[in-house]
Amino acid sequence: MFKRFATLAALLLGIGTATAQTATPAAPPATVRVVLTTSEGPITLELEKDRAPKTTANFLHYVDTKRFDGITFYRAMKLQPELGLIQGGLRNDPRKLFPPVPHEPTTQTGLTNKDGVISMARDKPGSATADFFIAIGDLSSLDAKPDQPGDNLGFAAFGHVIEGMDVVRRIGTAPTSPTEGEGVMKGQMLAPTIRIITARRVP
């Protein structure tokens, strides 16, 4: 969630006129856009280069080397109508993975796992590589919660969908296999998977 900073004007007392200088508004955080062209239509992402620099750089590394071309969205978690996520990536293909990216928790970036936000899938903190998910509905329960016990660092949000949430929701309601998947992912694996044809930066 974006924070707003208020600028306080200094009051100058004394003989003559009082003057106050207005501070120049801060520039908005730098972002970069990426289009995922899927078999269901395009999804345009706006990634937070300033607020989540390491996570964004990691994602762009896969985009720029075209390692996301031909991958799939393979999971649709459906918690409730209009609440869940879709997940895609390289599924731990050792031939295409770069080293894991350091974890940037939401308490550090100021981002939150709400509708349309893209975050990195992971096992333990600092293990994320090339798998990611897009939230459908409010999944702020996946944010970092330092006051909670156990692994409380949440999932690293690093951008959001600016066009194509209709595509995300369509993928989120696509058929899943009742038997594929392990553990909590059983019954959440898309059948068939949804292909990501290309992933490219755009102006």
Side-chain angles (χ1 to χ4, degrees):
M1 184 175 182
F2 289 99
K3 294 181 179 178
R4 296 183 178 180
F5 295 91
T7 302
L8 300 178
L11 178 63
L12 304 177
L13 300 177
I15 299 174
T17 59
T19 60
Q21 295 183 345
T22 303
T24 303
T31 58
V32 60
R33 293 184 177 183
V34 168
V35 173
L36 304 179
T37 301
T38 80
S39 55
E40 291 293 317
I43 301 168
T44 303
L45 306 168
E46 189 166 78
L47 308 182
E48 299 279 356
K49 289 199 304 182
D50 277 1
R51 298 204 288 174
K54 295 175 182 177
T55 313
T56 295
N58 174 71
F59 190 86
L60 292 174
H61 196 186
Y62 286 98
V63 170
D64 293 341
T65 55
K66 300 183 179 180
R67 297 195 182 194
F68 281 158
D69 290 8
I71 65 171
T72 63
F73 282 108
Y74 57 84
R75 180 188 182 198
M77 183 177 73
K78 306 166 187 176
L79 297 174
Q80 300 173 17
E82 294 295 311
L83 184 65
L85 60 82
I86 62 172
Q87 183 169 325
L90 288 171
R91 303 184 74 171
N92 295 319
D93 183 345
R95 299 167 300 170
K96 296 184 178 181
L97 292 180
F98 294 122
V101 60
H103 186 61
E104 292 178 308
T106 54
T107 47
Q108 175 181 315
T109 62
L111 302 172
T112 186
N113 285 282
K114 61 184 180 181
D115 190 45
V117 165
I118 182 170
S119 297
M120 294 304 298
R122 67 168 177 86
D123 184 9
K124 62 183 180 180
S127 66
T129 52
D131 284 44
F132 54 90
F133 63 88
I134 299 174
I136 300 171
D138 185 352
L139 291 182
S140 55
S141 59
L142 300 181
D143 292 352
K145 293 179 171 55
D147 58 338
Q148 299 297 316
D151 178 356
N152 55 23
L153 293 180
F155 293 85
F158 64 102
H160 64 282
V161 175
I162 57 171
E163 292 181 13
M165 273 305 292
D166 57 327
V167 177
V168 173
R169 288 189 168 89
R170 189 157 61 246
I171 296 171
T173 58
T176 54
S177 166
T179 57
E180 290 185 18
E182 297 180 1
V184 297
M185 294 175 66
K186 186 173 183 179
Q188 299 178 2
M189 310 308 286
L190 288 166
T193 57
I194 306 297
R195 188 165 178 253
I196 298 174
I197 302 165
T198 60
R200 296 288 185 274
R201 294 196 199 210
V202 293

